Amino acid sequence: MLIRQSAELTENDVTDEALYLRRREFIAGVAGIGAAGLIAPAAMAADAPATVKFSPNKMKIDETPTPFADVSTYNNFYEFGTDKSDPAANAGSLRIAPWTVAVDGLCQKPRKFDISDIVRRFPLEERIYRMRCVEAWSMVIPWIGFPLSALLREVEPLGSAKYVAFQTLNDPKQMPGQRRNVIDWPYREGLRLDEAMNPLTLLSVGLYGRLLPRQNGAPIRLVVPWKYGFKGIKSIVRITLTDRQPRTSWQMLAPDEYGFYGNVNPDVDHPRWSQARERRIGELLRRKTLPFNGYGDQVASLYRGMNPKKLY
Ligand code: MTE
């Protein structure tokens, strides 16, 4: 397994020579698969470093990762079509360099981050997370990223900031699905500020030891493992600190079916189906869904005193 290869090596094992060799591999056009804690941002800005280091296996669970072939071909990314196979087939038209992420709103130091600055500046780590889609399927994905809290701290949120709003790129030329009004584009998501600052909440730039495939939300996306997958907004261009609960795409589309929180809860059914069990992609038998997707010990305290029905 690719993951194992990474696990056997620590950062100290990555010598200058190895770095040099990897660089040559990348120049030869070999993607970073199998690299020991290194990914190549070749598709990013010309001045991006030749390789990007990450600490492998910072956090893992005792479950087998879903094969890369499934993670990268069974996707939801409506900007490229509504079928699961559409994003992998159509996302090639997305230009991921240059790419900037504006971080603004209620903060002392609003600014734009270039994606190549982001991968240089924030220490990247690998985290293997259980992911649960609202459609009752799940995957286990080895993400590479860094805590969203690190980025937010750079802009110094004001005391009045209570929520964080996210937006995906809006460009129908690059995103053919946006030529149809299935969603009020751009795709929008939001978190409460304390959810955004929770150490589990990641901004991801890669998975399976390589940069994010476009269909998975390149060059940067949100990963919130205790929430349903729709909260994991892809290809982010704007992050705004605000004092009002932001409106989110699925809430706007179907307010009776999707709330702001989207916390995984096996006891609260979706109006059209049960959330008690899930189909792990690649497995035959269905599994029980866990409250907060199994991350309750780390996040349940965020919601103390709130009605669990409202947390959907
Ligand atoms: N982000 C954008 N911009 N557009 C989308 O349609 N779909 C969401 C989420 N992020 C979506 C998005 C949904 S419904 C899910 S389940 C996850 O992305 C799927 O992520 P994956 O394809 O990487 O598994």
Side-chain angles (χ1 to χ4, degrees), residues 77-129:
F77 199 171
Y78 278 22
E79 285 84 340
F80 296 103
T82 51
D83 286 349
K84 297 284 177 282
S85 56
D86 286 343
N90 302 330
S93 53
L94 178 66
R95 279 197 311 273
I96 54 173
W99 189 278
T100 54
V101 182
V103 188
D104 56 16
L106 298 173
C107 57
Q108 291 284 1
K109 297 184 174 163
R111 55 172 289 196
K112 282 188 176 168
F113 291 88
D114 192 89
I115 189 68
S116 53
D117 283 345
I118 290 178
V119 295
R120 264 200 208 99
R121 178 189 291 250
F122 299 101
L124 301 177
E125 48 188 75
E126 183 177 61
R127 304 231 192 138
I128 304 179
Y129 280 166

Side-chain angles (χ1 to χ4, degrees), residues 103-107 152 155 157 161 163-165 193 239-243:
V103 188
D104 56 16
L106 298 173
C107 57
L152 293 177
V155 300
Y163 294 91
V164 187
L193 185 58
I239 300 178
T240 305
L241 288 141
T242 161
D243 53 0

Side-chain angles (χ1 to χ4, degrees), residues 127 129 146-149 166 191 194-203 222-226:
R127 304 231 192 138
Y129 280 166
F146 61 97
L148 170 62
S149 62
F166 303 84
L191 293 174
D194 57 349
E195 298 178 317
M197 298 303 282
N198 186 280
L200 282 178
T201 305
L202 287 192
L203 281 174
L222 186 66
V223 177
V224 197
W226 72 94

Side-chain angles (χ1 to χ4, degrees), residues 42-94:
M44 291 184 182
D47 66 339
T51 53
V52 174
K53 269 203 217 183
F54 62 90
S55 320
N57 290 317
K58 266 286 200 180
M59 194 184 293
K60 56 177 179 174
I61 51 172
D62 204 11
E63 289 171 34
T64 310
T66 306
F68 176 78
D70 293 323
V71 173
S72 58
T73 58
Y74 191 82
N75 300 105
N76 278 330
F77 199 171
Y78 278 22
E79 285 84 340
F80 296 103
T82 51
D83 286 349
K84 297 284 177 282
S85 56
D86 286 343
N90 302 330
S93 53
L94 178 66

